[in-house]
PDB file of all heavy atoms in Angstrom:
ATOM      1  N   GLN A   3       6.252  28.467  -6.702  1.00 82.00           N
ATOM      2  CA  GLN A   3       6.112  28.109  -5.250  1.00 82.00           C
ATOM      3  C   GLN A   3       5.377  26.815  -4.955  1.00 82.00           C
ATOM      4  O   GLN A   3       4.394  26.526  -5.687  1.00 82.00           O
ATOM      5  CB  GLN A   3       5.485  29.184  -4.517  1.00 82.00           C
ATOM      6  CG  GLN A   3       6.342  30.386  -3.914  1.00 82.00           C
ATOM      7  CD  GLN A   3       5.527  31.203  -3.025  1.00 82.00           C
ATOM      8  OE1 GLN A   3       4.492  31.717  -3.379  1.00 82.00           O
ATOM      9  NE2 GLN A   3       6.102  31.450  -1.831  1.00 82.00           N
ATOM     10  N   LEU A   4       5.900  25.947  -4.143  1.00 86.00           N
ATOM     11  CA  LEU A   4       5.254  24.868  -3.632  1.00 86.00           C
ATOM     12  C   LEU A   4       5.068  25.106  -2.118  1.00 86.00           C
ATOM     13  O   LEU A   4       6.117  24.972  -1.356  1.00 86.00           O
ATOM     14  CB  LEU A   4       5.938  23.480  -3.902  1.00 86.00           C
ATOM     15  CG  LEU A   4       5.267  22.304  -3.247  1.00 86.00           C
ATOM     16  CD1 LEU A   4       3.806  22.088  -3.758  1.00 86.00           C
ATOM     17  CD2 LEU A   4       6.022  20.976  -3.519  1.00 86.00           C
ATOM     18  N   LYS A   5       3.945  25.393  -1.694  1.00 87.00           N
ATOM     19  CA  LYS A   5       3.730  25.614  -0.268  1.00 87.00           C
ATOM     20  C   LYS A   5       3.262  24.357   0.325  1.00 87.00           C
ATOM     21  O   LYS A   5       2.403  23.769  -0.141  1.00 87.00           O
ATOM     22  CB  LYS A   5       2.723  26.701  -0.108  1.00 87.00           C
ATOM     23  CG  LYS A   5       3.133  28.123  -0.624  1.00 87.00           C
ATOM     24  CD  LYS A   5       2.124  29.192  -0.325  1.00 87.00           C
ATOM     25  CE  LYS A   5       2.549  30.548  -0.887  1.00 87.00           C
ATOM     26  NZ  LYS A   5       1.531  31.580  -0.647  1.00 87.00           N
ATOM     27  N   ILE A   6       3.881  24.056   1.553  1.00 87.00           N
ATOM     28  CA  ILE A   6       3.511  22.929   2.297  1.00 87.00           C
ATOM     29  C   ILE A   6       2.935  23.379   3.701  1.00 87.00           C
ATOM     30  O   ILE A   6       3.694  24.085   4.388  1.00 87.00           O
ATOM     31  CB  ILE A   6       4.600  21.918   2.499  1.00 87.00           C
ATOM     32  CG1 ILE A   6       5.070  21.424   1.099  1.00 87.00           C
ATOM     33  CG2 ILE A   6       4.159  20.698   3.324  1.00 87.00           C
ATOM     34  CD1 ILE A   6       6.319  20.580   1.169  1.00 87.00           C
ATOM     35  N   TYR A   7       1.690  23.165   3.998  1.00 85.00           N
ATOM     36  CA  TYR A   7       1.076  23.547   5.181  1.00 85.00           C
ATOM     37  C   TYR A   7       0.669  22.400   6.123  1.00 85.00           C
ATOM     38  O   TYR A   7      -0.175  21.688   5.756  1.00 85.00           O
ATOM     39  CB  TYR A   7      -0.145  24.450   4.852  1.00 85.00           C
ATOM     40  CG  TYR A   7      -0.850  25.013   6.097  1.00 85.00           C
ATOM     41  CD1 TYR A   7      -0.110  25.877   7.029  1.00 85.00           C
ATOM     42  CD2 TYR A   7      -2.160  24.822   6.253  1.00 85.00           C
ATOM     43  CE1 TYR A   7      -0.796  26.429   8.147  1.00 85.00           C
ATOM     44  CE2 TYR A   7      -2.856  25.348   7.354  1.00 85.00           C
ATOM     45  CZ  TYR A   7      -2.074  26.153   8.276  1.00 85.00           C
ATOM     46  OH  TYR A   7      -2.807  26.734   9.364  1.00 85.00           O
ATOM     47  N   ARG A   8       1.429  22.361   7.239  1.00 84.00           N
ATOM     48  CA  ARG A   8       1.127  21.137   8.136  1.00 84.00           C
ATOM     49  C   ARG A   8       0.093  21.702   9.076  1.00 84.00           C
ATOM     50  O   ARG A   8       0.341  22.594  10.023  1.00 84.00           O
ATOM     51  CB  ARG A   8       2.352  20.813   8.839  1.00 84.00           C
ATOM     52  CG  ARG A   8       3.361  20.100   8.034  1.00 84.00           C
ATOM     53  CD  ARG A   8       4.601  19.805   8.831  1.00 84.00           C
ATOM     54  NE  ARG A   8       5.568  19.076   8.036  1.00 84.00           N
ATOM     55  CZ  ARG A   8       6.516  19.641   7.211  1.00 84.00           C
ATOM     56  NH1 ARG A   8       6.617  20.960   7.117  1.00 84.00           N
ATOM     57  NH2 ARG A   8       7.267  18.825   6.527  1.00 84.00           N
ATOM     58  N   ALA A   9      -1.215  21.225   8.989  1.00 74.00           N
ATOM     59  CA  ALA A   9      -2.247  21.748   9.618  1.00 74.00           C
ATOM     60  C   ALA A   9      -2.889  20.720  10.698  1.00 74.00           C
ATOM     61  O   ALA A   9      -3.549  19.764  10.280  1.00 74.00           O
ATOM     62  CB  ALA A   9      -3.416  22.137   8.656  1.00 74.00           C
ATOM     63  N   SER A  10      -2.590  21.006  11.938  1.00 73.00           N
ATOM     64  CA  SER A  10      -3.277  20.140  12.953  1.00 73.00           C
ATOM     65  C   SER A  10      -4.643  20.525  13.126  1.00 73.00           C
ATOM     66  O   SER A  10      -5.118  21.628  12.624  1.00 73.00           O
ATOM     67  CB  SER A  10      -2.544  20.270  14.269  1.00 73.00           C
ATOM     68  OG  SER A  10      -1.194  19.843  14.209  1.00 73.00           O
ATOM     69  N   ALA A  11      -5.507  19.669  13.835  1.00 69.00           N
ATOM     70  CA  ALA A  11      -6.871  19.919  14.104  1.00 69.00           C
ATOM     71  C   ALA A  11      -7.004  21.298  14.830  1.00 69.00           C
ATOM     72  O   ALA A  11      -6.313  21.610  15.894  1.00 69.00           O
ATOM     73  CB  ALA A  11      -7.526  18.775  14.861  1.00 69.00           C
ATOM     74  N   GLY A  12      -7.970  22.068  14.329  1.00 67.00           N
ATOM     75  CA  GLY A  12      -8.223  23.503  14.941  1.00 67.00           C
ATOM     76  C   GLY A  12      -7.175  24.547  14.698  1.00 67.00           C
ATOM     77  O   GLY A  12      -7.250  25.510  15.381  1.00 67.00           O
ATOM     78  N   SER A  13      -6.338  24.273  13.698  1.00 69.00           N
ATOM     79  CA  SER A  13      -5.213  25.287  13.447  1.00 69.00           C
ATOM     80  C   SER A  13      -5.591  26.190  12.420  1.00 69.00           C
ATOM     81  O   SER A  13      -4.748  27.012  11.999  1.00 69.00           O
ATOM     82  CB  SER A  13      -3.989  24.548  13.075  1.00 69.00           C
ATOM     83  OG  SER A  13      -4.165  23.813  11.867  1.00 69.00           O
ATOM     84  N   GLY A  14      -6.791  26.230  11.925  1.00 75.00           N
ATOM     85  CA  GLY A  14      -7.365  27.203  10.959  1.00 75.00           C
ATOM     86  C   GLY A  14      -6.946  26.809   9.531  1.00 75.00           C
ATOM     87  O   GLY A  14      -6.752  27.613   8.656  1.00 75.00           O
TER      88      GLY A  14
END
Side-chain angles (χ1 to χ4, degrees):
Q3 271 189 308
L4 173 61
K5 296 183 180 180
I6 300 174
Y7 180 55
R8 292 178 176 85
S10 299
S13 63

